[in-house]
Amino acid sequence: MYAVKWFEILGWIPTVVLTKPAALERVAHLNYKPGEGLFADQFRLMAVYGDVALATDRRIRKIADANGAIVSTPHRALLVFVKETGQWKVAADAAVPTMVTE
């Protein structure tokens, strides 16, 4: 949320593009049930180029379906950090759902 001009394209609803105010409004009203949420792990700093850094992680999004069963969707994420006044800030990120092979 570092950038002033920010938007989100929802892969699961391709006709919807969220603006920053609309996305912040959605986040403010999230009401996760126990066991739901976004769980990140495997954070890896990939490269640093002066005041820009690239990292990746794996995320599992867990949310209840219409029947109340928790559904887990794995994602891979790319994070871009920018160093400003001595502090690293998230400038951009992208999370892409991945398929699990059995």
Side-chain angles (χ1 to χ4, degrees):
M1 299 299 216
Y2 169 72
V4 175
K5 292 184 178 181
W6 180 94
F7 64 93
E8 180 177 3
I9 299 169
L10 301 176
W12 57 92
I13 312 173
T15 58
V16 173
V17 176
L18 287 179
T19 62
K20 185 175 183 176
L24 289 173
E25 181 68 21
R26 283 184 68 178
V27 169
H29 292 94
L30 286 176
N31 186 19
Y32 286 127
K33 309 291 186 277
E36 292 182 324
L38 186 64
F39 305 90
D41 69 0
Q42 295 184 354
F43 179 87
R44 291 191 182 110
L45 181 61
M46 303 303 287
V48 178
Y49 304 100
D51 289 345
V52 176
L54 302 175
T56 184
D57 69 25
R58 182 180 73 173
R59 300 172 185 195
I60 306 294
R61 183 182 306 264
K62 295 183 180 186
I63 194 159
D65 65 12
N67 297 321
I70 298 291
V71 177
S72 297
T73 307
H75 291 70
R76 279 284 177 192
L78 171 68
L79 301 100
V80 180
F81 297 90
V82 174
K83 194 172 192 178
E84 185 178 88
T85 61
Q87 292 192 342
W88 289 100
K89 299 180 179 182
V90 175
D93 72 341
V96 179
T98 57
M99 295 185 66
V100 177
T101 58
E102 295 182 25

